Amino acid sequence: MHPLTRERLSEAYQANLRFDDPLISYITTDQFSAVYPERPDWAIGPFRRDDSLTFRQPAEWPDPTDIGWTDGFIFNPSILVEGDTLHLFYRASPRKESMCSRIGIAHYTTEGGWVDDPANPIVFPTRDNEVLSVEDPKIYKGDDGRYVLFYNGIWDFTDTEEAERYPSFGHPLEGIGCDIMVAVSDDLVHWEKRGIVVPYEISRLWVKGAVIPRNTRGEAIRIGGEYLMYLSEGCNGVRYVGRSDDLVTWRFEQQDYLDLSEYGGTLFEVACAVTGHDDSGDLVLDFFYQDAAGDLAAAQALYSVDAPFTQRALHRGGSLAWGGLAEFDGGLYFAQGWDAAEGSREMYFYRAETADHE
């Protein structure tokens, strides 16, 4: 692993100022979540934008890395609700879907509107495996009241010993690694980084997921007395689940929890695991995949919360709510910034339509 230096941070920033990938740079929220061709009773959504909750990052953050970093796009957030306050954790990058990201938090109340936290960025690169980016926050509250934040640390492993020690033939890599990282906090603003969640013997230098079943307040729920984590992208092409007593320390085992043969598609990444959204006892996985025609798509899979690996049904259409769904002001919401104009630094909120309210 190459050491984090100011020079390497600066090089990554300059490269990402020019980022433009036609496959992912022009995706929109509505293409996945606005219309469902069919909707079984258990499916969540479709979703419509609610402009009353739009967040606009009011100003540039300070740059603790001292490389002149600024952001032009915010996206892939996670939301947590406590009482009448909505907390928004979000990724800020030079360009849409570029690396060289930082993570911040904003808070919303009906009376006061949005306030971007003065402590931002709350997570920025400080470790060698974060030199290219820190990305895609996923926030959970444990039953002990502590907040646990997962995020991706991105790094360059070209010409390092890790490349030889942990080959990934089942999920080929191109010299860039992705680790799931974890941090803990008592106040949502000051975070203690605890390091890598998934060991390289399992991740093979690339893993995404950190998807933990949670309720609509953002509280992680225990299943069978333990917290569960669905890993998806990476891991040498093998699916794993994690188990934990405290949300911080995890052990992993192979578990093929999703069958896409009915659709003929290939899983990219599980976005969230939703439960407590109704009285059914259902658990719904929302996921990103490539369909049989080769197009990017979202879908949902149905489970019982008591049998979280036994798939009961599939549904074409999802939210791609990377940080999960949350109930606020009588609606079920997720947030995403994909449809904002470059440089606007806006985040939009999307509310689930119900069968009796469309």
Side-chain angles (χ1 to χ4, degrees), residues 23 264 268 289-297:
L23 180 63
F268 287 138
Y289 75 110
Q290 184 177 53
D291 65 19
D295 295 326
L296 304 181

Side-chain angles (χ1 to χ4, degrees), residues 138 140 180 198 207-214 223 227-233 235 239-243 250 252-253 255-258 267 269-274 283-286 301-311:
K138 287 181 171 62
Y140 303 92
I180 295 175
V198 185
V207 59
K208 287 188 177 181
V211 171
I212 299 166
R214 67 173 219 171
I223 297 176
Y227 297 112
L228 299 180
M229 178 188 293
Y230 294 89
L231 302 181
S232 45
E233 186 176 301
C235 295
R239 289 181 195 151
Y240 285 85
V241 297
R243 300 178 184 272
W250 295 82
F252 295 92
E253 60 189 29
Q255 178 68 58
D256 195 7
Y257 54 80
L258 186 62
L267 177 67
E269 186 177 355
V270 174
C272 60
V274 185
L283 174 69
V284 177
L285 290 191
D286 193 286
L302 176 66
Y303 306 77
S304 167
V305 74
D306 297 322
F309 312 132
T310 303
Q311 180 178 312

